Amino acid sequence: MIVVLLGAPGSGKGTQGAPLAEHLGLAHVASGDLFRDNIGRGTELGKLAQDYIKRGVLVPDDVTIRMVLDRLTSTDAAGGAILDGFPRTLAQAQALDMALAKQDQRVDAAPLVEVSTEELLRRLAGRWICRAAGHSYHEASNPPREPGRCDIDGSELYQREDDTIEVARKRLEVYFEQTRPVVDYYRQRGVLFEINGEQSIDEVFHDLVDALQATRTAA
Ligand code: ADP
Ligand code: ADP
């Protein structure tokens, strides 16, 4: 099963994506995490992506598509994947469809996690993520048990350079201009369903699991 998790920056894709993938036995493929890993390791790809990410604009399609499609060929993704943060443009969505079609696969479900702009900005401004794996916390609504430490792997928490209010606003603008057409693309395919993202983390998780299990049963 291939799932495309859709939603604006701050809607909770990362928070839901990892446990959801584990629950459903799928790989969690998050494009932002792949970029940050490359930046951390100082790779050529990381050097190229760094400047775009800092400014809150999209990394060019060719680089992004290559990186994600390459990740999808790893063995742990053979049983399916939850894509988080990709596709963000129509060109990326079309490239994904073409690559999947070559393997007789398709996007089976595209849940859209909906959250108001005001709440998105509150979430981005208070977000802390862990160095080791990008696990997400919020200083008010989802604090770690021990301040500054990840509950799951004990690594240090930090605030992303692109989570300032100015860059967050820019990222939301980019989302509405460039990524919203992707939502319509999946709606026309009949695989899109909306999830209310302004519930507790557990409630959003249960809605996602119920809808995805129904999709799997129907397939
Ligand atoms: P968030 O989850 O807060 O939206 P991400 O971690 O997914 O943020 O992405 C961080 C940044 O990485 C984006 O602002 C963008 O610069 C880059 N990026 C991530 N995914 C893509 C993509 N599919 N296409 C282009 N750029 C991307
Ligand atoms: P995305 O990956 O879509 O950019 P994240 O999963 O990183 O979003 O979540 C953004 C911020 O909102 C984080 O600080 C996270 O702890 C918090 N958050 C996620 N889901 C919820 C929720 N349902 N209620 C309140 N805060 C949430």
Side-chain angles (χ1 to χ4, degrees), residues 1-2 4 20 33 53 65 69 76 114 162 164 168 184 186:
M1 177 153 86
I2 302 288
V4 167
L20 200 56
D33 289 349
I53 294 178
I65 290 167
L69 294 185
D76 74 305
E114 288 280 45
D162 58 344
T164 58
D184 298 329
Y186 289 119

Side-chain angles (χ1 to χ4, degrees), residues 78-97:
I82 296 191
L83 290 164
D84 159 2
F86 180 93
R88 265 174 153 97
T89 63
L90 278 178
Q92 292 179 14
Q94 284 155 356
L96 175 64
D97 274 353

Side-chain angles (χ1 to χ4, degrees), residues 37-48:
D37 176 59
N38 275 279
I39 293 170
R41 288 186 293 117
T43 67
E44 282 307 310
L45 173 67
K47 283 180 198 147
L48 191 148

Side-chain angles (χ1 to χ4, degrees), residues 21-109:
E22 197 177 327
H23 188 85
L24 297 170
L26 304 169
H28 177 221
V29 176
S31 46
D33 289 349
L34 294 175
F35 282 129
R36 281 183 292 277
D37 176 59
N38 275 279
I39 293 170
R41 288 186 293 117
T43 67
E44 282 307 310
L45 173 67
K47 283 180 198 147
L48 191 148
Q50 201 160 18
D51 183 53
Y52 296 98
I53 294 178
K54 206 190 271 182
R55 288 187 285 128
V57 299
L58 298 182
V59 179
D61 280 336
D62 56 341
V63 181
T64 306
I65 290 167
R66 223 176 312 128
M67 175 183 76
V68 175
L69 294 185
D70 185 53
R71 172 69 184 83
L72 278 179
T73 61
S74 350
T75 44
D76 74 305
I82 296 191
L83 290 164
D84 159 2
F86 180 93
R88 265 174 153 97
T89 63
L90 278 178
Q92 292 179 14
Q94 284 155 356
L96 175 64
D97 274 353
M98 267 165 56
L100 291 175
K102 280 189 197 148
Q103 318 200 21
D104 274 335
Q105 285 183 298
R106 62 192 286 269
V107 171
D108 300 286

Side-chain angles (χ1 to χ4, degrees), residues 7-17 36 84 88 115 119-120 122-124 126-129 134-139 141-143 160 163 171 196-202 204:
S11 58
K13 300 183 301 299
T15 301
Q16 301 295 340
R36 281 183 292 277
D84 159 2
R88 265 174 153 97
V115 172
E119 172 67 4
L120 291 170
R122 190 193 70 81
R123 288 190 189 179
L124 293 171
R127 170 159 71 181
W128 290 76
I129 67 165
H135 295 119
S136 250
Y137 296 87
H138 189 277
E139 54 196 27
S141 60
N142 180 30
R160 277 167 45 178
D163 274 346
R171 285 158 58 212
N196 174 7
E198 291 205 31
Q199 312 175 81
S200 72
I201 291 176
D202 282 352
V204 176

Side-chain angles (χ1 to χ4, degrees), residues 16 20 195 201-212:
Q16 301 295 340
L20 200 56
I195 299 283
I201 291 176
D202 282 352
E203 285 167 331
V204 176
F205 182 76
H206 283 117
D207 282 2
L208 283 164
V209 168
D210 284 353
L212 291 173

